[in-house]
Structures are given as C-alpha cells and as structure tokens.
Amino acid sequence: MTEKLFQIDPYLKQTEAQILSVEGDLLVLDRTIFAPEAGGQASDLGRIDEAEMLHAEEKDGVVYHKMSEIPSGFKPGKTVRLELDWETRFDHMQNHCGEHIISGILFTKYGIGNKGFHLGSEFSTLDADMKQMPQEMVDEVERLANKAVFSSIPVTVDMIDSKDEAQKLPLRKELKVDEDISIVSIPGIDCVACCCPHPSDTSQVGLIKIIKAENYKGMTRIYFKCGMRAFEDYKLKHDIITALNKKYSSEEHNLLDNIKIQDNKNNEIRRDLFAMKSKFAMMEAERLVAEADKYVHFEYDDQSLDDLKFMAKKIMEITELPVILSSTSCMTVLLTHSGKSKLKCGKIVKEFACGFGGKGGGSDSLAQALFNDVDIMRNFVKIALMSI
Ligand SMILES: [Zn+2]
C-alpha cells in the first residue's frame, strides 16, 4: 500500500519518499503526493528528482508513477524528492470540487443523481440522471452553485472505518467499499465517498460556469468550467463581446438588437442585389440568344461556377438551345440544356474533357468540366461545340 499524503494534506507540494520498486518505467514509492487518475479525473503531474512524473495510477492500493525516464541511481531504498505540478493540481481541485457542488445541488434540491463525471483538459462534464433539463433549472443550479462558492463553506474529509457507520450519513451515492471510507462533506450541499484531493473550502473553487446542458443517452450532460478556466472563458467571451460592440457601435444591452438591425439591412441588400443580378443576367441572356444559331456559347473571364449556372438558368428560360458557358476565372466549362436537346452533356465531358486533362462529369442535361490550362479548356469547348 502506498501512503497517500494528498488525502491527508492536499496542499502538500513537495516532500521526500523512498523507492520501493522500479518496474520498467514505473516507480513505486512508500508514500506519494501525486493523486492517481480516478473517477473520470486525470492524474497529477510533477517531478521525482530530475525526472518527470507523467502519470500516476493506482492498483490494489499501490500507486504506480509512470516516469519520463528512470535515472540510473533510482534503486529500491533510495530517498527521492517529489515535486507536485501545483497549477495542474489546483485546477483539478477547483473543477473536481465544482462537480461536487453542482452534483450536490442537483441531488439535495432536485433529487437527481449523477451518473458520470469527466474532467477534461478544456472543460468538465457530468451526466445528470434527467432526460431533459429545462434551461431555467440549469440557470438555477448555476446560481446556487456560485452562491455556495461565495459562502465559503468548509470542505471536510473524514475517514470512516465501516460501511454501517458511513451509511448513517446523508450520502449522495451508494458506497462501493466496505472499510476505510473517505467521506467528503460540504454541509448543506454534498456528502459522498471520494478519495481525490479537495480544497479546504468552497470559495477556492472560484467562479462556476455552466457552458451548456444537452441531452445525452437519456440523461442531461452538463458542461462546466470552474476557477481559472471559468475566468479565462469569461475573458475570451468579454473580448469577443467588446469586438462585436465596436463593430456594431453598441453596448452590451443593445448589441443583439443592433446585430438584428444590421442582419435585416444585409438581407435587404441581398434581395436588391439578386434582383439587379437577375435583371442584368436576363439582358445578357437575351443578347446571347439573339446571336445564337445551334447553341448559346460565351467565354467569361470573371465568373465563378455559380455565376455560370445562374447565367445558364436565365438563358434556358428563353431558349431550348444547348448552352455552353466557360470561364477563364474558374477554368470551368458548363454544358447544359432544358432537356429538349439530344446533346448528352455528361457523355461529352467524360469522353473529351478527361482526355484533355480535365475532370468532371454530370447528367445528359447538365455537366461541368474543370481544367488547369486555358488553351486545353478552349480546345475542349471547340470539340464540344462541334459535337452539337
Ligand atoms: Zn471528491
């Protein structure tokens, strides 16, 4: 068994320990300050002498420390110095305890259990045993969670010898162990068996922000950030809002209204632009059709494929002749007709464009071919026109 100093003093950042065994890149010590990965929470990080401690894992009461390397002097009996990556640990403590607070409130106020927890590198999630959580309830849980933080409620850990003794407490979850049970209590909020390190009071959790709550396998998955993560999230969003306020000449209270006003203006401009584009395209279509004999053909130097399609559609409104439009800008040839022509557009592209180094395809009435050389594209157009 490894003595788990982090359960006695979660604020212990460095200490000495004795090596018990070295197994590959795994180190076993008589005692440790590194909390192993457990219950959806990542392992602590740190250093043991000059080597990095990458991951701690517990098996049958023994903590195995995975090392970046095993220094040559690391032998059983040697005393080594342990140094905890405190920033990572405190981040874990804040977000882990935040989960206790949210889960505790869900249980004590609403009778809803927690079916899972994961402390990720970006955000944490917990799965509340409720199919669809109304947004008002999410907001209320978040408000109460932050109120618990501002109340500086002590977080205590008690070792209880027996299951019978522990079961007298108002536990949130059923016990999985029979003896030496570590019970974490936040009076009025939570009481549950847990072996992870916790801050000494709720104020150290800092801000608790629920990012979103969504349906997940018949439960509600709550995404949240606590402490420095929540602060950084606030800063990011504040920066975004500040930039939007500048862009829309707004303040927070009228930003959404101003965005809506601008959206309406943009929609009006889009409608006007479309009407003008349609009018211009129809004039252009009438000109091309007037000059056409067996087909309508034109090469543009500034049109996109969407522009060619739009133009072709206008042309087909006033003629049944096949239409072949090309653009040196997008290096694409569009072949199409209303269905009255016998021209097989897709077949022409397949037979000739691919042979000319182009690529594309399509149906009998609509096909397109893309090229990477303008002369080759023009040669393909000549052949396509000859086949009409
Ligand atoms: Zn805990």
Side-chain angles (χ1 to χ4, degrees):
M1 295 279 275
T2 311
E3 189 186 356
K4 294 166 195 155
L5 299 174
F6 57 86
Q7 285 183 336
I8 302 160
D9 180 4
Y11 295 90
L12 188 62
K13 301 175 184 71
Q14 49 196 15
T15 193
E16 289 186 339
Q18 206 175 59
I19 296 176
L20 294 185
S21 67
V22 181
E23 301 169 25
D25 58 357
L26 299 175
L27 204 61
V28 177
L29 307 166
D30 62 340
R31 57 193 205 150
T32 188
I33 53 173
F34 303 116
E37 181 179 341
Q41 184 166 319
S43 147
D44 276 339
L45 302 171
R47 299 188 75 80
I48 297 179
D49 277 0
E50 70 270 29
E52 266 185 86
M53 201 292 293
L54 304 172
H55 186 256
E57 195 176 308
E58 183 179 351
K59 203 175 170 191
D60 299 330
V62 176
V63 177
Y64 294 85
H65 304 84
K66 185 179 168 63
M67 306 298 295
S68 61
E69 57 170 323
I70 298 288
S72 57
F74 274 27
K75 305 282 181 209
K78 179 181 168 58
T79 299
V80 285
R81 184 157 189 80
L82 319 187
E83 274 182 54
L84 182 66
D85 174 346
W86 174 247
E87 207 171 303
T88 301
R89 155 66 76 75
F90 191 60
D91 170 63
H92 288 179
M93 278 163 58
Q94 286 185 309
N95 286 276
H96 174 89
C97 192
E99 186 263 342
H100 273 288
I101 295 172
I102 297 172
S103 297
I105 288 166
L106 283 170
F107 185 73
T108 50
K109 187 171 165 65
Y110 300 96
I112 293 167
N114 171 354
K115 294 280 192 182
F117 167 61
H118 178 70
L119 200 165
S121 56
E122 293 285 318
F123 49 77
S124 303
T125 60
L126 68 85
D127 297 328
D129 195 10
M130 183 184 191
K131 200 171 180 186
Q132 199 89 46
M133 194 176 291
Q135 188 55 44
E136 302 77 46
M137 185 173 153
V138 176
D139 292 345
E140 179 65 0
V141 169
E142 183 184 64
R143 195 184 69 80
L144 291 172
N146 281 286
K147 213 174 153 191
V149 169
F150 306 148
S151 302
S152 292
I153 305 168
V155 180
T156 56
V157 182
D158 295 300
M159 290 306 290
I160 312 276
D161 295 337
S162 72
K163 195 172 184 176
D164 289 346
E165 193 74 14
Q167 274 171 336
K168 290 175 189 164
L169 298 165
L171 296 174
R172 171 161 58 85
K173 273 187 171 180
E174 255 183 61
L175 291 170
K176 288 181 184 166
V177 283
D178 295 325
E179 52 191 18
D180 296 330
I181 307 160
S182 168
I183 299 289
V184 177
S185 302
I186 308 173
I189 301 288
D190 200 18
C191 181
V192 70
C194 182
C195 296
C196 294
H198 303 85
S200 57
D201 71 82
T202 55
S203 70
Q204 292 181 42
V205 173
L207 181 66
I208 296 178
K209 181 67 197 147
I210 294 181
I211 307 297
K212 62 176 175 177
E214 63 187 17
N215 203 325
Y216 176 76
K217 294 182 178 175
M219 298 176 287
T220 298
R221 176 159 282 186
I222 296 175
Y223 296 74
F224 64 97
K225 294 188 181 194
C226 303
M228 195 52 85
R229 294 184 186 199
F231 165 75
E232 278 162 6
D233 189 66
Y234 183 94
K235 185 176 180 329
L236 172 72
K237 282 164 187 169
H238 178 78
D239 290 348
I240 292 170
I241 296 287
T242 303
L244 286 173
N245 278 338
K246 204 172 166 190
K247 180 176 164 65
Y248 290 98
S249 306
S250 306
E251 307 230 356
E252 278 82 348
H253 69 275
N254 62 358
L255 175 61
L256 290 178
D257 287 340
N258 282 7
I259 289 176
K260 204 171 174 185
I261 290 167
Q262 192 58 50
D263 278 351
N264 289 339
K265 276 185 192 167
N266 289 344
N267 286 338
E268 253 177 63
I269 291 167
R270 262 187 225 112
R271 277 196 296 274
D272 289 351
L273 192 66
F274 183 77
M276 284 173 68
K277 202 177 161 186
S278 294
K279 202 172 167 184
F280 176 80
M282 186 47 81
M283 286 165 63
E284 172 88 345
E286 284 168 354
R287 182 182 70 78
L288 292 174
V289 170
E291 291 168 1
D293 179 16
K294 286 163 66 183
Y295 49 77
V296 179
H297 164 60
F298 196 74
E299 180 187 281
Y300 293 91
D301 60 7
D302 58 351
Q303 305 281 292
S304 68
L305 177 59
D306 282 344
D307 292 334
L308 294 182
K309 284 180 178 170
F310 186 75
M311 194 64 224
K313 202 175 159 203
K314 289 288 163 196
I315 294 169
M316 287 190 295
E317 283 177 20
I318 54 172
T319 184
E320 290 175 357
L321 292 175
V323 180
I324 298 185
L325 300 179
S326 56
S327 171
T328 54
S329 155
C330 62
M331 298 289 277
T332 301
V333 181
L334 183 74
L335 299 86
T336 186
H337 58 77
S338 60
K340 297 280 168 58
S341 167
K342 287 179 182 167
L343 187 70
K344 294 191 184 309
C345 302
K347 197 176 168 202
I348 291 174
V349 169
K350 206 173 174 189
E351 278 184 13
F352 303 113
C354 299
F356 278 95
K359 56 181 181 182
S363 64
D364 284 353
S365 60
L366 175 67
Q368 63 196 53
L370 177 70
F371 297 86
N372 51 23
D373 183 287
V374 71
D375 292 329
I376 292 174
M377 182 181 83
R378 283 173 179 154
N379 283 337
F380 167 72
V381 169
K382 274 184 204 163
I383 287 176
L385 294 176
M386 276 160 48
S387 62
I388 296 173

